[in-house]
Amino acid sequence: GKLGNPTTTTIAAIALLLRAQPQAREMQGMILGLLSARASVLAVSEGLRCDKQVLSHSRGKRCVFNTELRFNNVTFAHAGSPDHVLDRVNITIYRGTSVAVVGPSGSGKSTLFNLLLRLYDPTEGRITVDGTPLSDLDRGEWLRRIAITGQDIDVTEGSILYNVRMGSADASEEEVRTALTIAGLSEFVEELPDGLQTEVGGRGFRLSGGQRQRISLARAIIRRPDILILDEATNAVEPLLEARIHSGIRAALPSVTLITVAHRNSAIAD
């Protein structure tokens, strides 16, 4: 019929709306994404305002960690919150030892690490390194002594070699292979057609959750840190291999201070 016919016009309008639905959903997703991104930026901006004291004291004394890291009556509460995330915590961690941090979600495990990385400063009490307040140390030098890896670390588009070298850009291929061996991934990599040059992430080879975790672990190991923090870093790995990885880390880095957050007994056996 003619376009001027009411019935034909109605049908045409409905057809156009149906055809437009995918574009409308895409536009809605873009709008929601922009709103979410704006909220994230505002949250980060607010966080930087709250912690500008930490950022303004990034330069300080030369860092020496020969004996112990100590939390002295450390209390922490987020700005504007009356609730304490940590309340008068006292912990002494000796260099070269293995320490497990256990507890349910929300118990303050992540806050301990955030304080250790100086993303926050304690509300009360202090953290000391060989008797020197952490807040007095050069923050950049302190962070260079720490490597941290967790359960949700993803790989970057590029080769396996490139991904591991993100921990130490000037590492040799032999050092990369050693780190992968400690992380329990060397045999898998050797079986790949392109070995270390195998492309992963993006359009490259798809790694399992456990393999991604071990790539990230190798990336942390290759830095040869003074302090290695494993935050549920092997929860996607079978217990037998997990125990072997922990033994390998201790054998290869005998002086490393190993701090492990985990729920499985195999991960905290040390």
Side-chain angles (χ1 to χ4, degrees):
K2 295 182 179 180
L3 190 60
N5 185 298
T7 302
T8 304
T9 303
T10 301
I11 293 172
I14 292 172
L16 286 171
L17 286 172
L18 290 173
R19 289 288 300 274
Q21 271 190 332
Q23 288 75 19
R25 282 196 295 270
E26 184 177 353
M27 181 64 72
Q28 182 186 36
M30 289 174 62
I31 292 171
L32 290 174
L34 288 171
L35 290 174
S36 177
R38 179 178 180 272
S40 298
V41 169
L42 289 175
V44 171
S45 175
E46 181 63 28
L48 290 177
R49 283 198 294 272
C50 291
D51 298 318
K52 61 185 177 182
Q53 182 179 3
V54 172
L55 298 177
S56 65
H57 290 83
S58 60
R59 294 189 175 275
K61 297 179 181 178
R62 183 175 175 274
C63 177
V64 177
F65 177 36
N66 292 324
T67 307
E68 67 176 30
L69 171 68
R70 185 175 294 230
F71 286 70
N72 297 282
N73 288 315
V74 169
T75 295
F76 179 78
H78 290 286
S81 172
D83 299 322
H84 290 161
V85 181
L86 299 174
D87 186 13
R88 293 168 292 178
V89 171
N90 289 280
I91 306 172
T92 301
I93 301 174
Y94 295 101
R95 175 154 185 173
T97 59
S98 297
V99 177
V101 181
V102 297
S105 298
S107 60
K109 301 187 301 294
S110 296
T111 301
L112 280 175
F113 296 148
N114 289 337
L115 291 171
L116 191 59
L117 297 171
R118 288 213 66 215
L119 296 176
Y120 308 123
D121 276 338
T123 306
E124 296 177 19
R126 65 178 186 170
I127 303 170
T128 60
V129 182
D130 284 3
T132 302
L134 184 58
S135 56
D136 289 348
L137 298 178
D138 183 282
R139 184 169 181 264
E141 185 184 350
W142 171 245
L143 291 180
R144 282 191 290 274
R145 292 172 175 266
I146 302 173
I148 182 169
T149 183
Q151 59 180 325
D152 298 321
I153 304 296
D154 208 346
V155 297
T156 302
E157 189 169 351
S159 68
I160 291 176
L161 180 66
Y162 169 77
N163 268 275
V164 177
R165 274 182 174 163
M166 288 178 71
S168 178
D170 57 353
S172 67
E173 283 197 20
E174 188 60 34
E175 289 173 319
V176 170
R177 292 183 191 279
T178 299
L180 287 169
T181 298
I182 298 169
L185 206 60
S186 59
E187 293 178 7
F188 165 76
V189 172
E190 288 171 4
E191 290 173 358
L192 294 173
D194 296 323
L196 288 175
Q197 301 300 333
T198 301
E199 295 286 314
V200 295
R203 297 181 180 179
F205 189 88
R206 300 294 180 183
L207 298 171
S208 69
Q211 289 162 348
R212 289 198 303 271
Q213 285 186 346
R214 283 178 280 165
I215 288 284
S216 175
L217 180 57
R219 185 187 298 163
I221 290 169
I222 206 168
R223 293 186 60 190
R224 304 192 71 83
D226 289 339
I227 299 172
L228 176 57
I229 300 172
L230 306 180
D231 186 5
E232 295 282 3
T234 51
N235 67 350
V237 177
E238 62 173 1
L240 189 61
L241 177 57
E242 183 178 51
R244 204 173 83 198
I245 289 171
H246 280 254
S247 297
I249 292 172
R250 179 52 68 203
L253 305 172
S255 64
V256 73
T257 303
L258 187 61
I259 304 176
T260 304
V261 173
H263 294 100
R264 293 196 315 206
N265 290 335
S266 58
I268 57 175
D270 290 341

